[in-house]
Amino acid sequence: MAAIDTGAPAGTDEGWTKRTLAVVALCFAINMADGIDVTILSFIAPRIQQEWTIGAEVMGTLFSAGLLGMAIGGMLIAPLADRYGRRRIILTALALMSVGMMASGLVTTVAQFFVLRVIVGAGIGTVLAAMAALAAESAPAHHRNLAVGMVQAGYPFAAVFTGLIVAQLLPVYGWHALLVAAGLITVVLFPLAWRLLPDARPASAEQALDGGVKRLFATEFRGRTLALWGAVFFGLMVLYFIVSWITKLAIEAGLSETDGIYAGALYNLGAFVGTVAMSFLAVRISLGRLVPVMLVAAAAAMMWFASIPMSVAGTMATAFGIGVLLQGGYNGVWPLAAGSYPASIRATGVGWAIGIGRAGAIFGPWFGGQLMAAGVSLPVLFASYCVPLVLCAICAALAHRLGQGKQMAIGN
């Protein structure tokens, strides 16, 4: 069987080298920076609202700006990584993130902040897609899923400690300084990326002219593209609902405000543990089985959380378990996506999945807010999100099944 077209740093079965380990570790660190840049806004939002005297609806618009930017980055900028190479596009994305975050610490109006959050989001959406492609191509072929999954673990890992650090530093330095500091973290990663990232162009000139997005709907890719889009949309719909409302939901389940915050932190810790566990399990278990099992188990954990009276410890343990199963299972979609396409359209395929998924990320928290405003019970609320979670599991299994024959044919 012919080897899959994976570009210059492509994973083979020759094993890990110092350089490939360094590249994947760098991608993990960059994804940590993504996690800091995204989650820091939720922690400083009350202070921004207080200083600028703005309501929740305006703050919600600022949250949406980042999602809009991610869609732009994933769908419009990330596909360029297939044409011009991973290195050039990742460096561009890091520059967008650095400049956008540091400039955010200097803004004086909501309009300025909105524009800069779009710029930061564009960098994040770009780098998420390009890094998934790069990690898949850098790792040994039999560890591709492990590499892509571990890169995704950087995001929840950063989310765990970002809130703890912000809680200590915000009263002392203010939110402006914290945004500048977050931007400087990305600046520090820039020279490492400049030195370590391979300078290779996955697509040939003929493939580049053929148009990457159009190729996603070629006969051999159409079914898995639509299935992946469904998995990402439904998955992010549930994921962003939980991430946005976990503290409030924990309080409604009977915890105090302080314990509710700790429950949110434990959820993020569970998300990191679950993503790491999924990454290692994916070496031995098919993602077509592993991802659906974890997501269906997450649905069961959500219903347990909503329906069964528990002690504080029990509620927190369940929040941790939801993080393990939900985010661990969902993050398995990304190695599945990276393995579904050849290198010449890999960043395009992952980027467009990221962009489509932003619609689910926007709809999920909004729909949950509407249900809570209508006064539905906690079990009904969670049951409403178990449906898209099961649909995500079905779409992931379908994407794996549709891509399996092609992957076998190209020796992936």
Side-chain angles (χ1 to χ4, degrees):
M1 292 182 289
I4 186 171
D5 169 24
T6 54
T12 67
D13 279 316
E14 296 177 359
W16 289 94
T17 66
K18 290 181 179 179
R19 184 173 182 83
T20 56
L21 280 170
V23 169
V24 173
L26 174 64
C27 290
F28 176 87
I30 293 174
N31 211 7
M32 283 182 58
D34 292 344
I36 294 170
D37 290 352
V38 172
T39 59
I40 194 172
L41 185 58
S42 64
F43 297 118
I44 65 174
R47 183 66 64 92
I48 293 175
Q49 289 183 256
Q50 180 183 6
E51 290 188 10
W52 282 357
T53 319
I54 58 176
E57 70 284 355
V58 177
M59 198 66 229
T61 301
L62 293 178
F63 280 118
S64 299
L67 297 174
L68 173 62
M70 288 184 203
I72 293 171
M75 301 173 79
L76 300 182
I77 306 176
L80 299 177
D82 290 331
R83 180 177 299 186
Y84 299 110
R86 314 300 189 214
R87 181 176 185 270
R88 187 178 304 180
I89 300 306
I90 289 176
L91 290 173
T92 299
L94 288 176
L96 288 174
M97 292 164 57
S98 301
V99 172
M101 285 300 293
M102 289 189 292
S104 296
L106 307 175
V107 297
T108 57
T109 69
V110 170
Q112 293 170 349
F113 199 69
F114 180 91
V115 171
L116 290 170
R117 288 305 296 180
V118 171
I119 292 173
V120 172
I124 292 172
T126 300
V127 84
L128 286 174
M131 284 192 309
L134 179 61
E137 294 154 12
S138 299
H142 63 291
H143 281 161
R144 175 176 294 156
N145 292 338
L146 170 64
V148 178
M150 286 299 296
V151 167
Q152 305 308 314
Y155 190 104
F157 181 71
V160 173
F161 66 77
T162 298
L164 300 177
I165 293 175
V166 169
Q168 297 297 316
L169 299 183
L170 182 60
V172 180
Y173 298 102
W175 63 270
H176 293 276
L178 293 182
L179 291 178
V180 173
L184 289 173
I185 292 174
T186 310
V187 171
V188 170
L189 294 173
F190 195 90
L192 292 174
W194 183 279
R195 178 174 178 81
L196 288 174
L197 294 180
D199 191 9
R201 185 178 301 179
S204 65
E206 181 180 351
Q207 290 170 327
L209 290 173
D210 189 38
V213 178
K214 184 170 64 176
R215 289 186 65 204
L216 297 181
F217 291 93
T219 303
E220 66 267 38
F221 300 124
R222 185 186 305 123
R224 80 189 72 169
T225 292
L226 294 174
L228 283 170
W229 286 7
V232 176
F233 176 89
F234 291 121
L236 283 182
M237 176 181 169
V238 180
L239 196 62
Y240 270 73
F241 161 71
I242 294 293
V243 169
S244 299
W245 295 105
I246 182 65
T247 299
K248 179 175 176 60
L249 293 170
I251 293 171
E252 292 203 6
L255 286 131
S256 67
E257 182 179 29
T258 300
D259 287 339
I261 294 172
Y262 286 139
L266 280 171
Y267 167 85
N268 284 312
L269 179 60
F272 170 71
V273 172
T275 303
V276 172
M278 176 278 299
S279 302
F280 280 97
L281 288 172
V283 175
R284 297 185 176 275
I285 302 174
S286 164
L287 285 170
R289 294 195 299 270
L290 180 61
V291 171
V293 166
M294 291 185 75
L295 293 177
V296 171
M302 286 168 57
M303 291 309 302
W304 177 275
F305 182 91
S307 306
I308 306 299
M310 291 177 284
S311 64
V312 171
T315 302
M316 289 189 173
T318 305
F320 175 83
I322 292 173
V324 170
L325 296 167
L326 174 58
Q327 197 141 356
Y330 171 76
N331 279 338
V333 172
W334 297 118
L336 183 63
S340 293
Y341 302 105
S344 58
I345 57 169
R346 184 169 291 135
T348 302
V350 177
W352 270 74
I354 288 173
I356 294 297
R358 294 310 110 181
I362 293 171
F363 179 72
W366 174 85
F367 182 60
Q370 297 300 307
L371 290 176
M372 284 186 277
V376 301
S377 66
L378 206 57
V380 171
L381 177 65
F382 272 67
S384 300
Y385 281 87
C386 287
V387 174
L389 195 54
V390 171
L391 290 175
C392 176
I394 293 171
C395 288
L398 181 61
H400 179 267
R401 186 173 68 83
L402 292 174
Q404 194 171 31
K406 177 66 175 178
Q407 289 172 345
M408 291 175 62
I410 57 181
N412 186 16

